[in-house]
Amino acid sequence: MKILRYLLVYRRFLLIVLTPLLLLPLPLVIKTKEAECAYTLFVIAIFWLTEALPLAVSALLPAFMFPLFGIMGSKQVASAYFKDFHLLLIGVICLATSIEKWNLHKRVALKMVMLVGVNPAWLMLGFMVSCAFLSMWLSNTSAAAMVMPIVEAVAQQIIRAEAEADELEMSCSNGSTNPALELDGRHTYNNNVGSTVSERKSRKDKYSGIFKVMCLCVAYSATIGGLTTITGTSTNLIFTEHFNSRYPGCQCINFGSWFILSIPIAVIILLLSWVWLQWLFLGFDFKNMFRCGKKKTSREEASSKVIQEEYKKLGPISYPETVTLVLFILMTLLWFTRDPGFIPGWSSLFPKYKSYITDSTAALVIGLLFFIIPAKTLPRTSNGENTVFDYTPLITWKEFQSCMPWEIAILVGGGFALADGCEVSKLSEWVASKLTPLGSLPLWLVILISCLIVTSVTEVASNPATITIFLPILSPLAEAIHVNPLFILIPATLCTSFAFLLPVANPANAIVFSYGHLTIMDMVKAGLGINIIGVAVVMLAIMTWIVPIFDLYTYPSWVPNIPTTNGTGL
């Protein structure tokens, strides 16, 4: 027992020590660059999947292992850790910092919920839409953390109103004056007493279901909303940078093209998830959802009151909120109009340097403005003269640093270094030669297998680590079976975000689970259905409307020619 206890306490240390030792025969016995690169990849992959070390720390291993094995020089590896992706991330985080600082996110979320109404089903949809919209521009974790306190307050108020209504009904049934019940001669004391136990259980289940469905709708919509934009989630960013680096001749993945292919997917998954959660926890009352002209219930009145009070606390929209909103719209417009494809974009104004401009250029220009534009206007005295005041920008460097996800930045850099190492060592070519037999399978089956594998792995590993591990494998797979790499990479990237089953699978899941209204089985039961919905919708999309966007059935000229055979001994 004592030995077992020590093993449990020091399991992380043992994993860190034993993993490199157990895999060491690979480069020692098979003395090739492919084997040495594979050894590095396996060690880092195990560390990422088990989180034996922090993700960012594990991502630094290529920086000394590749020079140690003579795969890449130290300067060459170091240059892979900072790319165009990081500039895009900096610009987006500047926007996110300002949105959080000036409470623009809360105003947007509450306004959206007020627009859809307070019927329980529509209220839930309102929270899902608002959370999904926020996660398009902020991180999924931030979106869930922002919306969840509002949801908790509304849910608490709903339960309080329901409890008061139940108490009133019980007091009436026990002899208090109630004209409505007296006119209905079917209510008797004995019948009510007999039905009270079952009714109380039913009400308790209903109250519990309200909390569960409200929590889950926030967690899942935060993840679903992140699918729609390149900056919405780290997996999209990692895929974009990997694809544009591996296939520089394409440059077909940008903010606009990704939004066009992913927004229908996100909308369909969001609506089906809404129906699924309603049916699973509250029962999908279709007739009651679309009732018109009827008086609001006590629950709906309570919800409406809480939301309106929260919105009133924000007061009128402030100057910093207005400026942040304007810059947000400007950044979005610059992204969409840079190179939309169907019409010339603003990048065509610089024909000689068109390929020099990317989405990160626009993001960085707008991001810098947050450090320049003052956070308040010049106050005026009674005679109309401006008074002197301390200059403060919309955001400060300290505020930006507190929001900047440095772990993700280093993790992505480590992924780029691994990808470069696979290319230089010819490991990608070796993998491609071994995957060639998969070309005999139907294409839809290859895509489905890829989606199911990444969806399963991402439940026990972080999303960025999962996509970073699989991209260098799936790219050679597509080349080996002679199909457009986007056919496999796009669905795999989207499915990497489908971490719905467990609290540890996704930070948004962990946030809502921490409120104490959910059990593990609640999340597994609900998440399994949404995983199935997500994979099915992605498969539908990649076989239908995404095909003409990128002409997927044509093998592109920008894919490098990789030999199908390799004489290495790996």
Side-chain angles (χ1 to χ4, degrees):
M1 280 299 288
K2 197 171 184 180
I3 295 174
L4 183 61
R5 193 180 299 113
Y6 275 115
L7 288 175
L8 290 173
V9 172
Y10 295 105
R11 63 187 183 278
R12 180 172 293 183
F13 175 76
L14 291 172
L15 186 64
I16 295 169
V17 173
L18 291 178
T19 298
L21 290 177
L22 293 174
L23 295 174
L24 194 57
L26 182 64
L28 292 180
V29 176
I30 310 171
K31 297 180 180 180
T32 62
K33 295 301 177 186
E34 293 93 328
E36 291 168 348
C37 184
Y39 171 75
T40 304
L41 181 62
F42 287 150
V43 171
I44 296 171
I46 291 172
F47 283 174
W48 273 341
L49 293 174
T50 59
E51 296 192 40
L53 290 171
L55 295 177
V57 176
S58 299
L60 293 172
L61 293 178
F64 77 88
M65 293 184 75
F66 282 163
L68 187 68
F69 287 123
I71 296 173
M72 296 171 66
S74 183
K75 290 183 179 179
Q76 191 180 1
V77 179
S79 64
Y81 275 84
F82 195 92
K83 292 195 176 183
D84 184 62
F85 154 82
H86 295 86
L87 299 178
L88 176 64
L89 186 63
I90 288 171
V92 171
I93 296 303
C94 290
L95 171 65
T97 304
S98 186
I99 288 174
E100 291 184 38
K101 178 180 179 180
W102 302 111
N103 274 333
L104 182 60
H105 63 285
K106 196 170 183 180
R107 187 179 297 277
V108 170
L110 289 172
K111 195 67 179 176
M112 282 189 171
V113 173
M114 290 168 67
L115 288 173
V116 299
V118 292
N119 179 285
W122 294 114
L123 182 65
M124 176 186 166
L125 183 62
F127 280 125
M128 292 183 77
V129 171
S130 59
C131 190
F133 178 77
L134 291 175
S135 67
M136 290 168 63
W137 316 105
L138 311 177
S139 71
N140 302 347
T141 309
S142 298
M146 292 169 189
V147 177
M148 194 56 209
I150 305 170
V151 171
E152 176 74 6
V154 171
Q156 292 283 2
Q157 192 67 17
I158 288 173
I159 300 304
R160 191 177 300 117
E162 289 281 354
E164 290 174 359
D166 291 342
E167 287 177 7
L168 179 61
E169 184 179 343
M170 285 297 298
S171 64
C172 293
S173 65
N174 286 326
S176 301
T177 303
N178 187 338
L181 292 180
E182 288 175 359
L183 289 172
D184 185 356
R186 292 171 295 180
H187 292 272
T188 64
Y189 178 80
N190 291 332
N191 287 340
N192 276 305
V193 171
S195 63
T196 296
V197 176
S198 60
E199 286 177 0
R200 283 178 179 173
K201 186 179 184 304
S202 176
R203 287 173 186 138
K204 185 178 180 181
D205 292 341
K206 180 176 67 175
Y207 299 159
S208 176
I210 291 171
F211 275 117
K212 288 176 181 178
V213 78
M214 288 288 191
C215 290
L216 289 173
C217 80
V218 172
Y220 296 159
S221 59
T223 300
I224 294 167
L227 301 174
T228 56
T229 60
I230 287 177
T231 58
T233 182
S234 55
T235 54
N236 296 353
L237 284 165
I238 294 169
F239 159 72
T240 305
E241 188 60 35
H242 168 86
F243 184 84
N244 290 334
S245 298
R246 186 178 179 90
Y247 308 108
C250 177
Q251 296 298 326
C252 55
I253 297 295
N254 54 44
F255 192 92
S257 62
W258 184 266
F259 185 83
I260 291 170
L261 75 89
S262 61
I263 191 67
I265 297 174
V267 170
I268 294 171
I269 296 176
L270 193 73
L271 291 176
L272 293 178
S273 301
W274 171 56
V275 174
W276 166 250
L277 292 174
Q278 280 282 321
W279 177 81
L280 191 63
F281 291 101
L282 299 178
F284 196 73
D285 189 355
F286 185 83
K287 185 184 291 186
N288 188 50
M289 279 180 55
F290 294 95
R291 62 196 178 96
C292 299
K294 292 190 177 181
K295 187 179 179 181
K296 292 180 181 178
T297 64
S298 57
R299 176 168 59 186
E300 294 170 357
E301 291 285 359
S303 304
S304 180
K305 185 178 179 182
V306 170
I307 293 169
Q308 289 174 3
E309 286 177 355
E310 287 292 322
Y311 191 79
K312 285 179 182 178
K313 288 178 185 177
L314 296 175
I317 188 167
S318 62
Y319 163 76
E321 284 181 271
T322 304
V323 176
T324 301
L325 181 61
V326 170
L327 292 178
F328 162 70
I329 294 171
L330 184 59
M331 183 184 288
T332 307
L333 288 175
L334 288 174
W335 278 337
F336 275 113
T337 59
R338 179 178 68 84
D339 188 17
F342 55 91
I343 57 171
W346 58 265
S347 61
S348 60
L349 298 175
F350 311 94
K352 292 184 179 180
Y353 312 106
K354 187 176 179 181
S355 60
Y356 287 52
I357 300 170
T358 64
D359 288 334
S360 64
T361 310
L364 203 57
V365 168
I366 301 299
L368 292 175
L369 293 179
F370 286 100
F371 294 99
I372 299 172
I373 299 175
K376 49 178 129 176
T377 57
L378 287 169
R380 295 180 179 273
T381 58
S382 56
N383 59 3
E385 295 180 357
N386 293 335
T387 59
V388 179
F389 74 106
D390 293 332
Y391 169 77
T392 305
L394 286 170
I395 60 172
T396 63
W397 181 251
K398 285 186 177 180
E399 291 166 344
F400 166 79
Q401 279 187 310
S402 65
C403 292
M404 180 67 184
W406 298 108
E407 182 184 44
I408 296 298
I410 297 173
L411 174 66
V412 174
F416 296 154
L418 275 178
D420 290 352
C422 291
E423 291 294 320
V424 173
S425 67
K426 307 295 183 184
L427 180 62
S428 294
E429 293 183 12
W430 182 86
V431 171
S433 67
K434 299 302 178 185
L435 294 175
T436 305
L438 290 176
S440 60
L441 296 175
L443 179 58
W444 68 268
L445 185 57
V446 174
I447 298 171
L448 180 60
I449 292 171
S450 304
C451 291
L452 292 177
I453 290 174
V454 297
T455 303
S456 302
V457 173
T458 198
E459 295 292 353
V460 294
S462 71
N463 299 354
T466 303
I467 194 65
T468 305
I469 292 168
F470 278 97
L471 282 176
I473 298 172
L474 296 176
S475 296
L477 168 62
E479 295 163 10
I481 63 178
H482 207 68
V483 300
N484 191 319
L486 291 172
F487 237 137
I488 296 176
L489 297 183
I490 288 176
T493 301
L494 292 169
C495 289
T496 307
S497 296
F498 296 160
F500 298 121
L501 288 182
L502 301 171
V504 296
N506 195 322
N509 294 0
I511 288 172
V512 301
F513 188 79
S514 66
Y515 278 76
H517 304 306
L518 297 166
T519 64
I520 297 291
M521 284 310 299
D522 289 330
M523 296 203 74
V524 171
K525 184 169 59 174
L528 185 61
I530 298 182
N531 271 347
I532 295 171
I533 290 170
V535 173
V537 173
V538 168
M539 287 298 299
L540 174 66
I542 198 63
M543 304 307 292
T544 54
W545 68 79
I546 297 180
V547 172
I549 295 176
F550 300 108
D551 194 16
L552 294 182
Y553 284 118
T554 302
Y555 191 71
S557 59
W558 41 259
V559 177
N561 292 320
I562 295 180
T564 56
T565 58
N566 193 305
T568 63
L570 184 60

